Amino acid sequence: MADQEHTYKFNVSMSCGGCSGAVNRVLGKLEGVSSYDVSLDKQEAVVVAKPGLDYETVLKTIKKTGKKVNSGSVDGEARSIDITE
């Protein structure tokens, strides 16, 4: 299962174009992202990740923007948004 792409979906609190732009920028620079879509209207970020890019790495990357992540899922299954250090 580690050798296939996964779809990570996050509900992210974004109040303006600058907020969604910040999430867009960090996802665009993240190695291992096959494709992504950030929607201000839907308050969500959807990331198609290549094998080797795990959910927690993407979650940490989005949280580094300072935006609140409300929920997350992997391939349609809900996952925790708590980061263990």
Side-chain angles (χ1 to χ4, degrees):
M1 196 156 158
D3 60 346
Q4 65 185 24
E5 290 188 337
H6 292 285
T7 301
Y8 305 143
K9 186 182 287 189
F10 301 93
N11 174 276
V12 184
S13 294
M14 299 176 285
S15 57
C16 65
C19 296
S20 59
V23 176
N24 256 312
R25 279 191 298 280
V26 296
L27 292 177
K29 293 177 185 176
L30 186 59
E31 199 170 311
V33 172
S34 183
S35 65
Y36 65 93
D37 180 52
V38 178
S39 171
L40 181 59
D41 290 337
K42 294 182 189 173
Q43 297 285 292
E44 84 180 3
V46 179
V47 178
V48 177
K50 296 176 183 173
L53 177 59
D54 63 27
Y55 169 84
E56 193 165 82
T57 300
V58 179
L59 175 61
K60 284 180 183 177
T61 300
I62 293 172
K63 283 191 169 191
K64 280 183 189 172
T65 66
K67 304 302 156 219
K68 182 174 181 348
V69 178
N70 301 301
S71 64
S73 68
V74 176
D75 299 329
E77 291 184 24
R79 289 283 174 93
S80 172
I81 54 167
D82 295 324
I83 295 176
T84 52
E85 293 298 329

